[in-house]
Amino acid sequence: MAALVGAYATTAAGAATAAPAPAPVPTVAEKPLSGGLVDAMSRDLGLTPAQAERRLAAETAAAAVEGKAKRVAGSAYGGSWFDSGSGKLTVAVTDGGKAAAIRAAGAEVRVVRHSEKRLDSAKAAIDGLTAPGGVSSWHVDPKANSVVVNVVTARKTDNDVRAFVRKAGAVGPVLVREVAQAPQTFAAGTVGGDPYYTGNVRCSIGFSVHGGFVTAGHCGRAGQQVRGWDNSYIGNFQGSSFPGDDYAWVNVGSGWWTVPVVLGWGTVPDQLVRGSNEAPIGASICRSGSTTRWHCGRVLAKNETVNYSQGAVHQMTKTSVCAQGGDSGGSFISGDQAQGVTSGGWGNCTSGGETWYQPINEILGRYGLRLHTA
C-alpha cells in the first residue's frame, strides 16, 4: 500500500485518510470498461458483466438527456430519475403539453401536480425548522412528487417527531417514510498504516484539485495540519464547513503532488477522473475510502437535508453504497466522472446501509477550485 499511495501521492495525497469543470463523458464504445469495475458492480448490484456494461451505457445516455429535457420542460419541470429496468430517464412535468418535446429529447414522461420549484421551496421551508434526533433526513423525491421526511422507526411516535412532521406538512406536500437508524459521520480514530490524519482523526481524500484536494468538512477545521499515510506533513485545511455543509479543501505541498486518480484498492484498477458531470437519480455509483475501500450502489435521492447529531447538513446526495468509520471525505465517482465526497450514513459494509455525499461541483464553486482531470 505504501508503494501504491506513494505512486499516486494525490490520489493518496491528494489521498491521505478520514475517508470537480465538467468534461465530455466517453461512451462505453470509446473507452472499454475495466474487468475490475464490472466485477465490483456485479458484486454490489447483482448484475452480470453484460448487464453492468449495458447499464453504464444507458446511464451515460441518460445523463446527456437530462439537461436537454430540463431545458425543454422549463418551469413545468418536476424532476427526473433513471430507471434501471427500462434503461430510460423519466422526466416529471406539470404541463402535459410538453410531453412530446421531452420524448423527442429521449426521455419518458410523467405528468405530476407539483413542479420542482414548488417542491424545492417546500423543502427550503422545512430546512428552517429545528429537527429532533428521531428525524433522519428529508429530500425532494421527484418520483413521489413530494418532500420525503425520513423518521427513525423506533422514534416515530415521539411527540417532537410528530410535531416536526405536522409543521413540515403545513408548508407543502410531504410523504413520511421510516428508516432503521439515524445517520452519523464516518470519521474515525487514528489507525496505523492508513493514509490521512488530522490530530487523532482519520479520513479519506476525495478528489485532487489544482493546488490540493477536497474532503469532508467534519474531518478538520481551517488551519489544522494534515499528515499523510507515512505521517509526513501534506498541508493544512484551507477552508472547512460543518454542519450546514460538509466539505473542506486542503493545500498540498512538501513533496506531495496531485494527480487525477481515485484509488481502486486492488478491487478495480485505479480510476482516472475526467470531469464532474452529475449522475441522475437511479444511476449506479461507486465509492473509494480508506477503511472499506471500493463499493458500489445507486443514487437514491438528491438535495437531501441530513440531520446529524452535530446539526443538519443540506444539499446532500443519498446512495445505497455502504461505508464505515474512516471513509469520510472519500471519493464518489460514476464512470470517470467525480460526484462528491463521503459525509456519513448508517449501517456498515457487512450488513449494508446508506451513505450520503456532498456534491463535488458545489465544493468547487464554494472555494473557487478547479478539478484536476486526466
Side-chain angles (χ1 to χ4, degrees), residues 197-277:
Y197 306 90
T198 303
N200 66 344
V201 171
R202 171 170 62 85
C203 283
S204 301
I205 288 175
F207 294 94
S208 290
V209 296
H210 289 272
F213 66 83
V214 294
T215 187
H218 69 263
C219 293
R221 300 183 304 276
Q224 283 190 288
Q225 287 192 0
V226 171
R227 307 186 314 277
W229 61 272
D230 60 353
N231 205 39
S232 67
Y233 170 72
I234 294 177
N236 295 71
F237 278 85
Q238 299 298 303
S240 179
S241 180
F242 178 80
D245 308 296
D246 193 6
Y247 49 59
W249 81 281
V250 175
N251 69 309
V252 166
S254 302
W256 294 76
W257 63 93
T258 65
V259 291
V261 175
V262 170
L263 287 175
W265 297 101
T267 301
V268 299
D270 296 341
Q271 303 291 299
L272 288 175
V273 177
R274 300 184 185 274
S276 58
N277 290 321

Side-chain angles (χ1 to χ4, degrees), residues 95-281:
D95 179 1
K98 303 278 189 178
I102 292 171
R103 289 192 182 98
E108 301 293 334
V109 179
R110 180 181 296 179
V111 179
V112 296
R113 181 177 179 183
H114 305 291
S115 68
E116 182 182 61
K117 183 177 180 180
R118 170 72 180 95
L119 295 175
D120 284 346
S121 176
K123 180 187 174 293
I126 297 171
D127 284 345
L129 303 177
T130 300
V135 176
S136 167
S137 62
W138 53 96
H139 70 276
V140 171
D141 185 338
K143 195 171 185 178
N145 198 227
S146 297
V147 179
V148 172
V149 176
N150 297 298
V151 302
V152 179
T153 298
R155 301 184 61 181
K156 65 181 180 180
T157 59
D158 289 1
N159 289 336
D160 55 357
V161 172
R162 288 180 168 181
F164 180 88
V165 170
R166 283 196 302 272
K167 291 177 182 177
V171 301
V174 164
L175 175 64
V176 177
R177 290 177 179 160
E178 295 180 24
V179 295
Q181 300 177 39
Q184 61 183 6
T185 56
F186 283 131
T190 301
V191 175
D194 277 323
Y196 119 62
Y197 306 90
T198 303
N200 66 344
V201 171
R202 171 170 62 85
C203 283
S204 301
I205 288 175
F207 294 94
S208 290
V209 296
H210 289 272
F213 66 83
V214 294
T215 187
H218 69 263
C219 293
R221 300 183 304 276
Q224 283 190 288
Q225 287 192 0
V226 171
R227 307 186 314 277
W229 61 272
D230 60 353
N231 205 39
S232 67
Y233 170 72
I234 294 177
N236 295 71
F237 278 85
Q238 299 298 303
S240 179
S241 180
F242 178 80
D245 308 296
D246 193 6
Y247 49 59
W249 81 281
V250 175
N251 69 309
V252 166
S254 302
W256 294 76
W257 63 93
T258 65
V259 291
V261 175
V262 170
L263 287 175
W265 297 101
T267 301
V268 299
D270 296 341
Q271 303 291 299
L272 288 175
V273 177
R274 300 184 185 274
S276 58
N277 290 321
E278 187 177 340
I281 293 172

Side-chain angles (χ1 to χ4, degrees), residues 1-27:
M1 177 56 67
L4 178 60
V5 175
Y8 294 110
T10 290
T11 286
T17 348
V25 181
T27 65

